[in-house]
Amino acid sequence: MATTKTKTTLQQKLPCETENLEQIIESLLAVRNNILQAEADYPGFDHIHPGHRKSARNLLHYLAFRLHDIRELQLNLSEWGLSSLGRAERKVQATLDTVLHVLHKLAGKDWSPTEKPPACYREGRRMLEENTAALLGDFPSGRRVRIMVTMPTEAADDYRLVYELLESGMNCARVNCAHDDPGTWLKIIQNIRRAEDAFGRRCKILMDLGGPKLRTGPLEPGPSVAKVRPRRNAIGELLEPARVWFYPEEKQGPMPAGAAACLPVPGDWLAQCEVDDQILLTDARGATRRLKIEETTPEGCWATTKKTVYFVPGTLLALKPKKRKVKNKIARLVGDLPRREPYLLLQKGDLLLLTQSDRPGRNAGYDEAGNVIHPASIGCSIPEVLNDVQVGEPIWFDDGKIGGIIEKKEKDKVHVRIAQARPGGERLRSEKGINLPDTNLRLPALTKEDLEDLKFVAQHADMVGLSFANTAADVEDLLKNLRKLREDHPAIVLKIETRRGFDNLPAMLLTALQSPVSGVMIARGDLAIECGFGRLAEVQEQILWICEAAHVPAIWATQVLEGLAKEGFPSRAEVTDAAMGQRAECIMLNKGEHITDATRALDDILRRMQDHQTKKRSLLRKLHLSEKFFAK
């Protein structure tokens, strides 16, 4: 037992004033006892895969460890120059035991733990690296973090695209089963395997099941109308007239390049048209318009307009020839015109009926005084979810662009009061996502379509992604169905994209550890809506911590370098976000016209960042700024 004199002498020798050593030891021992008790109380180790039982023990330790607010204890440990426990994820007990051993030495005591930790320092790192290699493939040359790329439909027929993606740094390919079909998926996979052979290295394939994605239902078709608008500058000056292609109704073909609209007319009327003739009409808005014929061909004629024109079926066209007579001056637009994509225009304060009916939705109706006759309405892709919503719960549409509150429930519909929409209104179209973050949805993660797709996935994929994983039962259901299809089934990846999925992540991970290989994808798109954009940064951090504690690789996904992939130019924030993804084991890029450039750029960012950061640990490589300063 250290004497007061010993403690006083020790503290006097330290350069700064520190907290009482005995109190720190007592606090830390209490934390240690709690984590060991959590392990002893867990009944499910027999179900864990033998290779992952140490990881399951460490995960339980971490969860119990984080029941404590240890911020003050961290400060006290730092004052003694010891580990502040801020990077204990992979080896919780080993970290506590090491710090306790040093603290007891400082206090003049002997202390040795009787319980062996499940993972020591290097062992925790080794287990995570081995699990990562099993899921995502071997370490890329010169880079720790893998790159996953979502395959576009074009990858089925464009082998060169797949080849260039592997050449640019892609390590894993993602096929989204919510799009395309098994025939297309197979062609994509065949191109990936062919490119593998060309490079002599493996590219793991993840196939995402579609899952029970809530979407808006169909809408009543929009009007048949062709809008023709000339190009103007910022102050409204004409830059270029709009070009319209008129063709005989019996000879419809593809739209010629540069045509703002292709309009069918009677062939005998069109045969009279000559260059410099004019076409007069009253458009769908009652505006008088004039077009000039610029060119005629056997297939049709080109006309131009300097003003915006709305054409609809049946619009009357009057031919005004130049210095000659014609037999038929009047013609009528015939045939169908493209229907405009329908949408609901919703403003803050509007009422929207979300229905269980499969009838197309419609906009609100108004009388002559502007009073609402009937509110806007739209269906839901999974009607039964409306049975689970409760009055007062929030609802979001179209990636959070429109927000509302459930105001009333009826037998076959719910009343939604729009609470968030930009000034002037927001457009809601069919097939847009619906999020119910506070609703306890009684939906299985596997739909009938998923179970059918799983037959293909089990035979061709290295990994299967469980979309909208919400509970441990969802994970168990996936494993059960995979075992029926193949004993050596693909690895599983839990896609965390709902608040329930985040809340239940520890239980789902412990279930996933029944599988030989598993991982987690942080699907930040839906997750941001479900948890709130302001909380996303906190949530994604916590997912990374918990995955590391379970030695399970994490995939950082959604909108990484999206501006670069789609438009060819990244934002500064995108580059920073990509660099932050260094703390995951893999970063996923979505498809886009410039996806090869985005893959190459991400490869460069990751190679630069890995000398500075690995997981949460900052690496102190020689700093060039210091070198330049002292060289002066």
Side-chain angles (χ1 to χ4, degrees):
M1 185 83 178
T3 64
T4 304
K5 181 178 179 181
T6 303
K7 289 186 286 185
T8 303
T9 302
L10 179 60
Q11 296 216 232
Q12 285 176 345
K13 291 181 179 179
L14 293 174
C16 299
E17 183 180 349
T18 59
E19 188 65 26
N20 183 281
L21 206 57
E22 295 291 344
Q23 292 179 354
I24 298 175
I25 292 174
E26 183 180 349
S27 298
L28 209 55
L29 281 172
V31 173
R32 185 179 186 275
N33 290 336
N34 286 157
I35 72 165
L36 295 178
Q37 189 61 50
E39 177 187 341
D41 291 342
Y42 182 68
F45 283 112
D46 290 343
H47 300 290
I48 303 294
H49 188 279
H52 298 320
R53 285 175 185 164
K54 288 183 177 181
S55 298
R57 289 174 60 198
N58 189 70
L59 174 58
L60 290 167
H61 289 175
Y62 183 73
L63 295 170
F65 173 59
R66 292 306 303 269
L67 283 174
H68 300 267
D69 186 341
I70 64 165
R71 287 176 290 181
E72 185 176 352
L73 181 58
Q74 287 182 292
L75 292 174
N76 294 334
L77 288 170
S78 295
E79 289 174 355
W80 281 92
L82 300 176
S83 167
S84 64
L85 310 176
R87 294 189 296 271
E89 286 81 6
R90 284 180 294 209
K91 62 308 178 194
V92 179
Q93 184 186 339
T95 303
L96 292 174
D97 287 356
T98 301
V99 174
L100 278 166
H101 177 77
V102 175
L103 285 170
H104 279 86
K105 285 292 185 183
L106 290 173
K109 300 179 180 180
D110 290 328
W111 182 83
S112 296
T114 56
E115 306 86 354
K116 185 178 179 181
C120 294
Y121 288 81
R122 293 181 181 177
E123 189 177 12
R125 180 173 64 183
R126 177 187 60 77
M127 286 193 287
L128 178 58
E129 289 177 350
E130 288 178 353
N131 291 338
T132 300
L135 181 74
L136 302 168
D138 293 334
F139 280 99
S141 176
R143 170 161 49 81
R144 184 186 72 84
V145 177
R146 280 72 165 176
I147 296 175
M148 179 181 290
V149 179
T150 300
M151 293 291 99
T153 303
E154 294 75 28
D157 300 311
D158 189 352
Y159 166 73
R160 186 68 191 176
L161 171 62
V162 178
Y163 180 92
E164 289 177 352
L165 285 171
L166 259 74
E167 185 179 44
S168 300
M170 178 177 75
N171 311 109
C172 310
R174 171 177 174 256
V175 177
N176 188 353
C177 295
H179 302 291
D180 302 318
D181 54 62
T184 304
W185 304 337
L186 183 59
K187 289 181 179 179
I188 292 173
I189 292 169
Q190 288 171 340
N191 278 337
I192 294 169
R193 298 307 183 207
R194 179 184 169 193
E196 281 181 336
D197 293 339
F199 280 95
R201 59 180 172 85
R202 190 73 193 279
C203 176
K204 292 291 189 84
I205 296 174
L206 166 69
M207 296 192 72
D208 270 357
L209 300 174
K213 175 67 174 177
L214 297 180
R215 296 188 183 277
T216 53
L219 292 169
E220 290 181 348
S224 294
V225 60
K227 179 182 178 181
V228 174
R229 182 171 58 185
R231 193 161 65 90
R232 299 182 182 275
N233 62 17
I235 60 174
E237 295 174 331
L238 181 68
L239 297 177
E240 184 181 12
R243 303 183 76 216
V244 179
W245 173 251
F246 291 99
Y247 65 91
E249 57 181 309
E250 64 274 8
K251 294 184 179 181
Q252 184 171 0
M255 179 181 290
C262 290
L263 305 176
V265 292
D268 56 351
W269 179 86
L270 188 61
Q272 303 175 110
C273 296
E274 294 183 4
V275 174
D276 290 336
D277 287 351
Q278 293 185 350
I279 299 173
L280 308 182
L281 63 106
T282 300
D283 78 353
R285 299 173 302 163
T288 300
R289 292 291 182 255
R290 183 186 302 263
L291 285 78
K292 181 181 178 182
I293 297 177
E294 301 284 356
E295 180 184 353
T296 63
T297 72
E299 291 76 29
C301 76
W302 287 101
T304 60
T305 175
K306 296 180 180 180
K307 293 185 178 181
T308 299
V309 187
Y310 287 80
F311 294 95
V312 294
T315 298
L316 292 176
L317 307 176
L319 178 64
K320 185 179 180 181
K322 187 176 182 181
K323 298 180 180 179
R324 73 181 193 285
K325 293 183 178 180
V326 295
K327 292 182 178 179
N328 302 317
K329 286 188 176 182
I330 306 298
R332 187 183 298 272
L333 284 184
V334 293
D336 292 329
L337 295 180
R339 288 189 174 272
R340 304 196 74 182
E341 184 182 5
Y343 61 84
L344 304 182
L345 184 62
L346 299 173
Q347 304 194 53
K348 186 175 180 180
D350 283 353
L351 180 64
L352 171 67
L353 300 182
L354 187 61
T355 72
Q356 292 184 327
S357 171
D358 57 0
R359 288 180 300 182
R362 58 178 180 172
N363 269 293
Y366 300 88
D367 61 20
E368 293 181 357
N371 300 311
V372 177
I373 301 173
H374 61 80
S377 63
I378 198 166
C380 177
S381 61
I382 309 178
E384 58 266 31
V385 303
L386 299 189
N387 298 326
D388 296 333
V389 302
Q390 301 298 324
V391 172
E393 290 179 339
I395 183 170
W396 296 92
F397 300 93
D398 195 6
D399 292 334
K401 293 178 182 175
I402 302 170
I405 300 294
I406 305 298
E407 192 173 79
K408 181 181 177 182
K409 281 187 68 173
E410 294 185 25
K411 182 179 179 181
D412 58 350
K413 57 181 170 289
V414 296
H415 294 233
V416 177
R417 185 66 62 182
I418 302 302
Q420 180 171 310
R422 65 180 174 182
E426 193 75 55
R427 296 180 178 185
L428 179 62
R429 293 183 165 87
S430 61
E431 291 295 312
K432 295 301 179 182
I434 301 174
N435 291 88
L436 293 158
D438 289 357
T439 303
N440 184 21
L441 297 176
R442 293 171 292 178
L443 285 175
L446 293 175
T447 66
K448 292 180 181 179
E449 292 80 7
D450 292 335
L451 292 173
E452 189 63 32
D453 292 342
L454 200 57
K455 298 174 184 177
F456 179 96
V457 173
Q459 296 302 318
H460 296 89
D462 301 296
M463 300 170 270
V464 52
L466 181 62
S467 298
F468 302 99
N470 285 322
T471 66
D474 291 336
V475 184
E476 186 65 58
D477 193 29
L478 174 63
L479 288 172
K480 180 182 70 175
N481 281 281
L482 281 172
R483 288 167 185 149
K484 289 179 182 177
L485 295 168
R486 276 184 64 178
E487 185 176 344
D488 58 334
H489 59 76
I492 63 171
V493 174
L494 312 182
K495 293 180 64 181
I496 308 303
E497 44 198 327
T498 67
R499 185 183 297 178
R500 286 181 69 207
F502 170 69
D503 291 339
N504 292 323
L505 177 59
M508 289 196 293
L509 273 176
L510 286 166
T511 306
L513 290 177
Q514 297 177 19
S515 173
V517 187
S518 60
V520 166
M521 178 182 288
I522 311 174
R524 300 181 299 164
D526 281 291
L527 193 59
I529 302 166
E530 292 268 332
C531 297
F533 286 91
R535 198 184 168 208
L536 177 62
E538 173 191 7
V539 166
Q540 65 190 20
E541 283 292 302
Q542 293 184 37
I543 295 175
L544 287 173
W545 299 339
I546 291 172
C547 288
E548 187 176 2
H551 309 130
V552 167
I555 302 168
W556 182 276
T558 313
Q559 294 184 326
V560 178
L561 295 180
E562 183 156 339
L564 176 56
K566 291 187 175 179
E567 306 296 334
F569 298 96
S571 69
R572 294 168 179 81
E574 285 178 1
V575 175
T576 302
D577 176 65
M580 290 286 286
Q582 173 76 28
R583 290 168 301 163
E585 280 64 52
C586 180
I587 297 179
M588 191 193 86
L589 295 171
N590 271 323
K591 54 194 174 184
E593 187 177 347
H594 306 276
I595 186 59
T596 305
D597 293 336
T599 304
R600 193 176 296 113
L602 181 58
D603 176 74
D604 180 62
I605 291 169
L606 293 175
R607 290 177 185 276
R608 293 174 184 275
M609 281 301 299
Q610 72 177 12
D611 289 335
H612 302 283
Q613 183 92 29
T614 175
K615 303 301 283 183
K616 287 168 58 181
R617 184 188 300 273
S618 296
L619 302 177
L620 302 184
R621 188 192 73 177
K622 182 173 72 173
L623 191 62
H624 293 309
L625 287 177
S626 297
E627 190 176 43
K628 289 180 180 179
F629 176 80
F630 287 108
K632 293 180 181 178

